[in-house]
mmCIF file with all atom_site columns, all heavy atoms in Angstrom:
data_model
loop_
_atom_site.group_PDB
_atom_site.id
_atom_site.type_symbol
_atom_site.label_atom_id
_atom_site.label_alt_id
_atom_site.label_comp_id
_atom_site.label_asym_id
_atom_site.label_entity_id
_atom_site.label_seq_id
_atom_site.pdbx_PDB_ins_code
_atom_site.Cartn_x
_atom_site.Cartn_y
_atom_site.Cartn_z
_atom_site.occupancy
_atom_site.B_iso_or_equiv
_atom_site.pdbx_formal_charge
_atom_site.auth_seq_id
_atom_site.auth_comp_id
_atom_site.auth_asym_id
_atom_site.auth_atom_id
_atom_site.pdbx_PDB_model_num
ATOM 1   N N   . PHE K 1 405 ? 46.986 -89.088 50.081 1.00 91.00 ? 1559 PHE K N   1
ATOM 2   C CA  . PHE K 1 405 ? 46.110 -89.090 51.175 1.00 91.00 ? 1559 PHE K CA  1
ATOM 3   C C   . PHE K 1 405 ? 46.734 -88.713 52.507 1.00 91.00 ? 1559 PHE K C   1
ATOM 4   O O   . PHE K 1 405 ? 46.034 -88.249 53.491 1.00 91.00 ? 1559 PHE K O   1
ATOM 5   C CB  . PHE K 1 405 ? 45.579 -90.502 51.394 1.00 91.00 ? 1559 PHE K CB  1
ATOM 6   C CG  . PHE K 1 405 ? 44.584 -90.873 50.462 1.00 91.00 ? 1559 PHE K CG  1
ATOM 7   C CD1 . PHE K 1 405 ? 44.773 -91.694 49.191 1.00 91.00 ? 1559 PHE K CD1 1
ATOM 8   C CD2 . PHE K 1 405 ? 43.188 -90.369 50.709 1.00 91.00 ? 1559 PHE K CD2 1
ATOM 9   C CE1 . PHE K 1 405 ? 43.711 -91.867 48.370 1.00 91.00 ? 1559 PHE K CE1 1
ATOM 10  C CE2 . PHE K 1 405 ? 42.183 -90.747 49.759 1.00 91.00 ? 1559 PHE K CE2 1
ATOM 11  C CZ  . PHE K 1 405 ? 42.437 -91.366 48.620 1.00 91.00 ? 1559 PHE K CZ  1
ATOM 12  N N   . SER K 1 406 ? 48.011 -88.867 52.734 1.00 91.00 ? 1560 SER K N   1
ATOM 13  C CA  . SER K 1 406 ? 48.745 -88.289 53.846 1.00 91.00 ? 1560 SER K CA  1
ATOM 14  C C   . SER K 1 406 ? 48.627 -86.739 53.911 1.00 91.00 ? 1560 SER K C   1
ATOM 15  O O   . SER K 1 406 ? 48.478 -86.162 54.968 1.00 91.00 ? 1560 SER K O   1
ATOM 16  C CB  . SER K 1 406 ? 50.267 -88.711 53.996 1.00 91.00 ? 1560 SER K CB  1
ATOM 17  O OG  . SER K 1 406 ? 50.367 -90.152 53.890 1.00 91.00 ? 1560 SER K OG  1
ATOM 18  N N   . PHE K 1 407 ? 48.788 -86.101 52.759 1.00 88.00 ? 1561 PHE K N   1
ATOM 19  C CA  . PHE K 1 407 ? 48.526 -84.640 52.623 1.00 88.00 ? 1561 PHE K CA  1
ATOM 20  C C   . PHE K 1 407 ? 47.184 -84.326 52.972 1.00 88.00 ? 1561 PHE K C   1
ATOM 21  O O   . PHE K 1 407 ? 46.994 -83.270 53.748 1.00 88.00 ? 1561 PHE K O   1
ATOM 22  C CB  . PHE K 1 407 ? 48.905 -84.290 51.193 1.00 88.00 ? 1561 PHE K CB  1
ATOM 23  C CG  . PHE K 1 407 ? 50.329 -84.100 50.941 1.00 88.00 ? 1561 PHE K CG  1
ATOM 24  C CD1 . PHE K 1 407 ? 50.945 -84.513 49.791 1.00 88.00 ? 1561 PHE K CD1 1
ATOM 25  C CD2 . PHE K 1 407 ? 51.235 -83.371 51.680 1.00 88.00 ? 1561 PHE K CD2 1
ATOM 26  C CE1 . PHE K 1 407 ? 52.249 -84.458 49.555 1.00 88.00 ? 1561 PHE K CE1 1
ATOM 27  C CE2 . PHE K 1 407 ? 52.521 -83.206 51.549 1.00 88.00 ? 1561 PHE K CE2 1
ATOM 28  C CZ  . PHE K 1 407 ? 53.038 -83.723 50.310 1.00 88.00 ? 1561 PHE K CZ  1
ATOM 29  N N   . LEU K 1 408 ? 46.172 -85.085 52.578 1.00 89.00 ? 1562 LEU K N   1
ATOM 30  C CA  . LEU K 1 408 ? 44.883 -84.688 52.814 1.00 89.00 ? 1562 LEU K CA  1
ATOM 31  C C   . LEU K 1 408 ? 44.524 -84.879 54.318 1.00 89.00 ? 1562 LEU K C   1
ATOM 32  O O   . LEU K 1 408 ? 43.853 -84.027 54.919 1.00 89.00 ? 1562 LEU K O   1
ATOM 33  C CB  . LEU K 1 408 ? 43.834 -85.590 52.088 1.00 89.00 ? 1562 LEU K CB  1
ATOM 34  C CG  . LEU K 1 408 ? 43.811 -85.460 50.566 1.00 89.00 ? 1562 LEU K CG  1
ATOM 35  C CD1 . LEU K 1 408 ? 42.783 -86.392 49.911 1.00 89.00 ? 1562 LEU K CD1 1
ATOM 36  C CD2 . LEU K 1 408 ? 43.408 -83.934 50.176 1.00 89.00 ? 1562 LEU K CD2 1
ATOM 37  N N   . PHE K 1 409 ? 45.021 -85.802 54.990 1.00 90.00 ? 1563 PHE K N   1
ATOM 38  C CA  . PHE K 1 409 ? 44.932 -86.032 56.403 1.00 90.00 ? 1563 PHE K CA  1
ATOM 39  C C   . PHE K 1 409 ? 45.610 -85.025 57.153 1.00 90.00 ? 1563 PHE K C   1
ATOM 40  O O   . PHE K 1 409 ? 45.109 -84.491 58.240 1.00 90.00 ? 1563 PHE K O   1
ATOM 41  C CB  . PHE K 1 409 ? 45.492 -87.485 56.811 1.00 90.00 ? 1563 PHE K CB  1
ATOM 42  C CG  . PHE K 1 409 ? 45.391 -87.731 58.343 1.00 90.00 ? 1563 PHE K CG  1
ATOM 43  C CD1 . PHE K 1 409 ? 44.138 -88.123 58.891 1.00 90.00 ? 1563 PHE K CD1 1
ATOM 44  C CD2 . PHE K 1 409 ? 46.438 -87.502 59.163 1.00 90.00 ? 1563 PHE K CD2 1
ATOM 45  C CE1 . PHE K 1 409 ? 44.080 -88.324 60.237 1.00 90.00 ? 1563 PHE K CE1 1
ATOM 46  C CE2 . PHE K 1 409 ? 46.355 -87.760 60.435 1.00 90.00 ? 1563 PHE K CE2 1
ATOM 47  C CZ  . PHE K 1 409 ? 45.200 -88.156 61.000 1.00 90.00 ? 1563 PHE K CZ  1
ATOM 48  N N   . TYR K 1 410 ? 46.788 -84.507 56.739 1.00 88.00 ? 1564 TYR K N   1
ATOM 49  C CA  . TYR K 1 410 ? 47.520 -83.454 57.360 1.00 88.00 ? 1564 TYR K CA  1
ATOM 50  C C   . TYR K 1 410 ? 46.725 -82.085 57.326 1.00 88.00 ? 1564 TYR K C   1
ATOM 51  O O   . TYR K 1 410 ? 46.581 -81.367 58.241 1.00 88.00 ? 1564 TYR K O   1
ATOM 52  C CB  . TYR K 1 410 ? 48.829 -83.277 56.788 1.00 88.00 ? 1564 TYR K CB  1
ATOM 53  C CG  . TYR K 1 410 ? 49.663 -82.151 57.372 1.00 88.00 ? 1564 TYR K CG  1
ATOM 54  C CD1 . TYR K 1 410 ? 50.259 -82.272 58.560 1.00 88.00 ? 1564 TYR K CD1 1
ATOM 55  C CD2 . TYR K 1 410 ? 49.863 -81.005 56.691 1.00 88.00 ? 1564 TYR K CD2 1
ATOM 56  C CE1 . TYR K 1 410 ? 50.995 -81.242 59.247 1.00 88.00 ? 1564 TYR K CE1 1
ATOM 57  C CE2 . TYR K 1 410 ? 50.567 -79.975 57.274 1.00 88.00 ? 1564 TYR K CE2 1
ATOM 58  C CZ  . TYR K 1 410 ? 51.133 -80.095 58.483 1.00 88.00 ? 1564 TYR K CZ  1
ATOM 59  O OH  . TYR K 1 410 ? 51.813 -79.008 59.062 1.00 88.00 ? 1564 TYR K OH  1
ATOM 60  N N   . PHE K 1 411 ? 46.160 -81.767 56.067 1.00 86.00 ? 1565 PHE K N   1
ATOM 61  C CA  . PHE K 1 411 ? 45.312 -80.661 55.972 1.00 86.00 ? 1565 PHE K CA  1
ATOM 62  C C   . PHE K 1 411 ? 44.100 -80.665 56.794 1.00 86.00 ? 1565 PHE K C   1
ATOM 63  O O   . PHE K 1 411 ? 43.729 -79.489 57.450 1.00 86.00 ? 1565 PHE K O   1
ATOM 64  C CB  . PHE K 1 411 ? 44.870 -80.391 54.450 1.00 86.00 ? 1565 PHE K CB  1
ATOM 65  C CG  . PHE K 1 411 ? 46.200 -80.020 53.574 1.00 86.00 ? 1565 PHE K CG  1
ATOM 66  C CD1 . PHE K 1 411 ? 46.106 -80.508 52.218 1.00 86.00 ? 1565 PHE K CD1 1
ATOM 67  C CD2 . PHE K 1 411 ? 47.333 -79.553 53.985 1.00 86.00 ? 1565 PHE K CD2 1
ATOM 68  C CE1 . PHE K 1 411 ? 47.113 -80.290 51.345 1.00 86.00 ? 1565 PHE K CE1 1
ATOM 69  C CE2 . PHE K 1 411 ? 48.436 -79.257 53.181 1.00 86.00 ? 1565 PHE K CE2 1
ATOM 70  C CZ  . PHE K 1 411 ? 48.256 -79.675 51.876 1.00 86.00 ? 1565 PHE K CZ  1
ATOM 71  N N   . ARG K 1 412 ? 43.497 -81.701 56.944 1.00 86.00 ? 1566 ARG K N   1
ATOM 72  C CA  . ARG K 1 412 ? 42.212 -81.869 57.745 1.00 86.00 ? 1566 ARG K CA  1
ATOM 73  C C   . ARG K 1 412 ? 42.631 -81.693 59.227 1.00 86.00 ? 1566 ARG K C   1
ATOM 74  O O   . ARG K 1 412 ? 41.925 -81.159 59.929 1.00 86.00 ? 1566 ARG K O   1
ATOM 75  C CB  . ARG K 1 412 ? 41.559 -83.151 57.328 1.00 86.00 ? 1566 ARG K CB  1
ATOM 76  C CG  . ARG K 1 412 ? 40.218 -83.357 58.239 1.00 86.00 ? 1566 ARG K CG  1
ATOM 77  C CD  . ARG K 1 412 ? 39.235 -82.342 57.582 1.00 86.00 ? 1566 ARG K CD  1
ATOM 78  N NE  . ARG K 1 412 ? 38.922 -82.690 56.306 1.00 86.00 ? 1566 ARG K NE  1
ATOM 79  C CZ  . ARG K 1 412 ? 38.097 -83.552 55.704 1.00 86.00 ? 1566 ARG K CZ  1
ATOM 80  N NH1 . ARG K 1 412 ? 37.524 -84.310 56.520 1.00 86.00 ? 1566 ARG K NH1 1
ATOM 81  N NH2 . ARG K 1 412 ? 37.933 -83.534 54.503 1.00 86.00 ? 1566 ARG K NH2 1
ATOM 82  N N   . TYR K 1 413 ? 43.784 -82.322 59.637 1.00 86.00 ? 1567 TYR K N   1
ATOM 83  C CA  . TYR K 1 413 ? 44.155 -82.112 60.939 1.00 86.00 ? 1567 TYR K CA  1
ATOM 84  C C   . TYR K 1 413 ? 44.521 -80.760 61.297 1.00 86.00 ? 1567 TYR K C   1
ATOM 85  O O   . TYR K 1 413 ? 44.271 -80.266 62.498 1.00 86.00 ? 1567 TYR K O   1
ATOM 86  C CB  . TYR K 1 413 ? 45.575 -83.074 61.222 1.00 86.00 ? 1567 TYR K CB  1
ATOM 87  C CG  . TYR K 1 413 ? 46.007 -83.019 62.549 1.00 86.00 ? 1567 TYR K CG  1
ATOM 88  C CD1 . TYR K 1 413 ? 45.457 -83.600 63.644 1.00 86.00 ? 1567 TYR K CD1 1
ATOM 89  C CD2 . TYR K 1 413 ? 47.275 -82.268 62.834 1.00 86.00 ? 1567 TYR K CD2 1
ATOM 90  C CE1 . TYR K 1 413 ? 45.940 -83.584 64.898 1.00 86.00 ? 1567 TYR K CE1 1
ATOM 91  C CE2 . TYR K 1 413 ? 47.793 -82.258 64.065 1.00 86.00 ? 1567 TYR K CE2 1
ATOM 92  C CZ  . TYR K 1 413 ? 47.181 -82.777 65.112 1.00 86.00 ? 1567 TYR K CZ  1
ATOM 93  O OH  . TYR K 1 413 ? 47.649 -82.730 66.455 1.00 86.00 ? 1567 TYR K OH  1
ATOM 94  N N   . LYS K 1 414 ? 45.166 -79.956 60.548 1.00 84.00 ? 1568 LYS K N   1
ATOM 95  C CA  . LYS K 1 414 ? 45.512 -78.611 60.761 1.00 84.00 ? 1568 LYS K CA  1
ATOM 96  C C   . LYS K 1 414 ? 44.257 -77.722 60.444 1.00 84.00 ? 1568 LYS K C   1
ATOM 97  O O   . LYS K 1 414 ? 44.390 -76.494 60.459 1.00 84.00 ? 1568 LYS K O   1
ATOM 98  C CB  . LYS K 1 414 ? 46.686 -78.207 59.811 1.00 84.00 ? 1568 LYS K CB  1
ATOM 99  C CG  . LYS K 1 414 ? 47.922 -78.833 60.175 1.00 84.00 ? 1568 LYS K CG  1
ATOM 100 C CD  . LYS K 1 414 ? 48.547 -78.334 61.547 1.00 84.00 ? 1568 LYS K CD  1
ATOM 101 C CE  . LYS K 1 414 ? 49.753 -78.894 61.899 1.00 84.00 ? 1568 LYS K CE  1
ATOM 102 N NZ  . LYS K 1 414 ? 50.226 -78.460 63.238 1.00 84.00 ? 1568 LYS K NZ  1
ATOM 103 N N   . LYS K 1 415 ? 43.083 -78.213 60.063 1.00 82.00 ? 1569 LYS K N   1
ATOM 104 C CA  . LYS K 1 415 ? 41.858 -77.486 59.835 1.00 82.00 ? 1569 LYS K CA  1
ATOM 105 C C   . LYS K 1 415 ? 41.974 -76.594 58.742 1.00 82.00 ? 1569 LYS K C   1
ATOM 106 O O   . LYS K 1 415 ? 41.410 -75.488 58.707 1.00 82.00 ? 1569 LYS K O   1
ATOM 107 C CB  . LYS K 1 415 ? 41.416 -76.805 61.133 1.00 82.00 ? 1569 LYS K CB  1
ATOM 108 C CG  . LYS K 1 415 ? 41.085 -77.723 62.228 1.00 82.00 ? 1569 LYS K CG  1
ATOM 109 C CD  . LYS K 1 415 ? 40.573 -76.920 63.491 1.00 82.00 ? 1569 LYS K CD  1
ATOM 110 C CE  . LYS K 1 415 ? 40.281 -77.835 64.574 1.00 82.00 ? 1569 LYS K CE  1
ATOM 111 N NZ  . LYS K 1 415 ? 39.744 -77.043 65.818 1.00 82.00 ? 1569 LYS K NZ  1
ATOM 112 N N   . VAL K 1 416 ? 42.857 -76.952 57.729 1.00 80.00 ? 1570 VAL K N   1
ATOM 113 C CA  . VAL K 1 416 ? 42.933 -76.072 56.417 1.00 80.00 ? 1570 VAL K CA  1
ATOM 114 C C   . VAL K 1 416 ? 41.611 -76.252 55.764 1.00 80.00 ? 1570 VAL K C   1
ATOM 115 O O   . VAL K 1 416 ? 41.042 -75.426 55.148 1.00 80.00 ? 1570 VAL K O   1
ATOM 116 C CB  . VAL K 1 416 ? 44.162 -76.450 55.709 1.00 80.00 ? 1570 VAL K CB  1
ATOM 117 C CG1 . VAL K 1 416 ? 44.246 -75.758 54.398 1.00 80.00 ? 1570 VAL K CG1 1
ATOM 118 C CG2 . VAL K 1 416 ? 45.461 -76.160 56.551 1.00 80.00 ? 1570 VAL K CG2 1
ATOM 119 N N   . PHE K 1 417 ? 41.050 -77.592 55.715 1.00 77.00 ? 1571 PHE K N   1
ATOM 120 C CA  . PHE K 1 417 ? 39.795 -77.805 55.103 1.00 77.00 ? 1571 PHE K CA  1
ATOM 121 C C   . PHE K 1 417 ? 38.713 -77.975 56.182 1.00 77.00 ? 1571 PHE K C   1
ATOM 122 O O   . PHE K 1 417 ? 39.005 -78.460 57.183 1.00 77.00 ? 1571 PHE K O   1
ATOM 123 C CB  . PHE K 1 417 ? 39.976 -79.152 54.306 1.00 77.00 ? 1571 PHE K CB  1
ATOM 124 C CG  . PHE K 1 417 ? 40.871 -79.078 53.124 1.00 77.00 ? 1571 PHE K CG  1
ATOM 125 C CD1 . PHE K 1 417 ? 41.426 -80.284 52.545 1.00 77.00 ? 1571 PHE K CD1 1
ATOM 126 C CD2 . PHE K 1 417 ? 41.179 -77.872 52.537 1.00 77.00 ? 1571 PHE K CD2 1
ATOM 127 C CE1 . PHE K 1 417 ? 42.323 -80.213 51.581 1.00 77.00 ? 1571 PHE K CE1 1
ATOM 128 C CE2 . PHE K 1 417 ? 42.006 -77.759 51.394 1.00 77.00 ? 1571 PHE K CE2 1
ATOM 129 C CZ  . PHE K 1 417 ? 42.621 -78.916 50.900 1.00 77.00 ? 1571 PHE K CZ  1
#
Side-chain angles (χ1 to χ4, degrees):
F1559 280 101
S1560 300
F1561 280 130
L1562 293 181
F1563 179 77
Y1564 178 77
F1565 293 151
R1566 186 66 60 86
Y1567 175 75
K1568 290 296 185 180
K1569 296 182 181 180
V1570 177
F1571 293 156

